[in-house]
Structure formats: structure tokens, C-alpha cells
Amino acid sequence: MDTADEHLDDPMTDFACRRVEVDGAVKTVRVAGSGPAVILMPEMPGISPDVLRLARWIQAAGFTVHVPSLFGTDGAYPTAEEGQKVIRRACVSAEFRAFAGGGTSPVTAWLRGLARKAHAECGGPGVGAIGLCFTGNFALTMALEPAVIAPVVNHPSLPLDDPAGLEISDEDAQALQERIARDGLSVLAYRFEGDRWCTRQRFDAYRALLGDAFDARVLPDSAANTDPPPFFREVVRTPHSVVTAHLVDQDGHPTLEARDQILAFLRERLHP
């Protein structure tokens, strides 16, 4: 990493670092706060300072935020060179299904186990799950776990090679339809209008699957932060990360309003 950017790394000293085991697989999880649990999954290229900023907002809203380390270097500022390396590794990893036809990513089974453990520890009516970019759809497939009652799907980018595709197997899609109909769940979702990684066709496919339970919010491209970190400026190259890298932290700004809507969604379901 360029030494000029080192001061932008996040030391994460306010997060506990846990090693969590689910079905024999162990992963690092950064945890902070108190109250009902919210699982915040990172976007590419990892648990960046912007993802941690969102995690702190979730903590301050009265939740125990769990941020699992799924790829990249925790706390690192997103540079273009390192970010591209992380993408290449993730795309060939057995844990992820980055391309069309792969079905549900296996890592979601581990994430559902994390949700069960977090619910048992933190209590409350259930768990929130927030996916971002590469993990966007994971928040939806995590709803196969009964403890997950507040899924938020942010700019889901998988499968990378099919703009209208959904990263989910046919079997899991049917099970999700049944769960949502049975329990009356709703799914909150965000994207920028011109996002080439999360297209209108993809949101149309989600609506075809979930019907009125899919609450889609689309922001204009003009609302995106025009000076995101290098990975988003040089690799992503499109308005994309609504509540992280492309968020503008100004009162009344559409991206900050999106953040507030997500926090309200979590409060309504997890703090009845």
C-alpha cells in the first residue's frame, strides 16, 4: 500500500476481534455495541473504513453489529491494485459463486450459522442482515435462517457476468418465497440508477421472485460521492456503494437519507 494512504486505514480498536466457528469452519468477526444483532457483510475489497463507518452508525442506533471478515485485509483503505487482487482471489474461491449458473454461494451457510449464534447471544426478536456489493444477495439468502427477520440488499453485484441474474439456486429461491410469504418478511434494497454492476434488470428479477415484499429504492447517479477511494474510482467506475464509498455525509443528502431508512427498518423489526 502507498504510504500516503496508510493514515486512512482504520485501526478498529473499538471492535472486539472474535474467532467464530460454524460447522467446523472458523472466521474472524469484528463485533461492537449492544442490543439485537445485525450482521453487516463487507463489500469488495473488504472491511474498509467506509464499511466500518456504517458499522458504527448501526452500533450507535442500538444494535450489536457483527462484521465478518470474508475477503481482503480488515480495516484497509481500498486501493485499486490491492482491490483487484482481492476480486481475483474471491472469484476463484470455493466459498463464492461469482458467475451465472453457480447458484447460492456456500459461504451463506456459515453466515446463517453466525446469525443463529448472534441471536442466541444478543436476544431480541431476531437478527438483521445487510449485504453490500459482492455480498449484497447474501442478506437475502440468509433469510433461510429463521432468526433473520430484517434483510437489507445493497447494490448486489453477483453474478458478475449476468446483469439480470440472481446469485441463488432454484431450490433456495423457492424456499425463500415460502419463508417470506409465511412470515410476512420484507426485503429493503438499494442501488444507483446507472450502476453497471447492479442493473435495473437485476432488481426486476428480484421483484419477479419476491413480488411486493421487495422494497426497491433507486437513487440518481448525481447523488453519488464524486471522490470515492481509488478502488471505486478506478475499478468500479460507476455510482455503486449507496451507504459506504459513494455516501455523502451531509444532512438531507439522498445517500444519508438511505442510511437513515436502513436504520429505521432495523429498529422497526428488531426493537418492537
Side-chain angles (χ1 to χ4, degrees):
M1 179 180 295
D2 191 307
T3 55
D5 291 332
E6 286 183 350
H7 69 283
L8 295 172
D9 289 355
D10 192 314
M12 302 177 292
T13 53
D14 50 334
F15 288 80
C17 182
R18 299 183 183 177
R19 297 285 287 167
V20 178
E21 188 244 329
V22 176
D23 296 331
V26 180
K27 296 184 183 299
T28 297
V29 182
R30 309 287 175 169
V31 183
S34 60
V38 175
I39 312 299
L40 173 63
M41 291 159 280
E43 64 188 353
M44 279 291 165
I47 303 177
S48 68
D50 285 325
V51 171
L52 291 163
R53 176 179 61 176
L54 177 58
R56 292 183 177 103
W57 281 329
I58 294 168
Q59 172 195 0
F63 301 101
T64 307
V65 63
H66 296 67
V67 191
S69 181
L70 303 179
F71 37 73
T73 301
D74 295 355
Y77 181 69
T79 64
E81 181 180 2
E82 289 303 316
Q84 288 175 311
K85 292 178 183 178
V86 174
I87 289 177
R88 288 193 290 268
R89 288 194 294 267
C91 285
V92 299
S93 168
E95 289 196 300
F96 304 104
R97 297 286 185 263
F99 302 105
T104 304
S105 289
V107 72
T108 57
W110 187 92
L111 291 165
R112 291 195 294 270
L114 173 62
R116 285 193 299 274
K117 287 176 176 283
H119 186 215
E121 177 183 338
C122 299
V127 174
I130 301 176
L132 304 167
C133 177
F134 206 80
T135 67
N137 189 62
F138 295 0
L140 180 61
T141 48
M142 282 180 69
L144 292 170
E145 162 57 43
V148 175
I149 61 173
V152 183
V153 176
N154 286 288
H155 46 92
S157 62
L158 301 186
L160 296 173
D161 57 344
D162 183 0
L166 299 182
E167 184 266 351
I168 189 170
S169 69
D170 292 341
E171 181 182 7
D172 284 348
Q174 181 177 351
L176 276 168
Q177 286 177 317
E178 294 170 356
R179 164 92 203 275
I180 287 170
R182 181 178 66 249
D183 296 340
L185 295 187
S186 58
V187 179
L188 188 58
Y190 290 87
R191 59 179 288 270
F192 282 109
E193 186 174 17
D195 189 349
R196 67 190 180 101
W197 301 105
C198 180
T199 62
R200 175 184 56 79
Q201 296 96 317
R202 179 156 294 149
F203 267 30
D204 288 346
Y206 277 110
R207 184 167 296 282
L209 176 67
L210 302 175
D212 291 341
F214 185 65
D215 183 358
R217 316 281 177 93
V218 181
L219 277 65
D221 293 349
S222 59
N225 175 17
T226 58
D227 188 27
F231 174 79
F232 296 89
R233 186 171 58 250
E234 300 172 27
V235 179
V236 177
R237 294 189 298 173
T238 184
H240 182 59
S241 300
V242 175
V243 289
T244 50
H246 287 106
L247 178 141
V248 178
D249 190 3
Q250 296 176 358
D251 288 344
H253 193 274
T255 56
L256 203 64
E257 290 178 353
R259 178 210 64 180
D260 292 342
Q261 291 164 5
I262 291 171
L263 296 178
F265 178 81
L266 295 172
R267 288 192 195 98
E268 289 168 4
R269 285 150 182 80
L270 303 180
H271 282 298

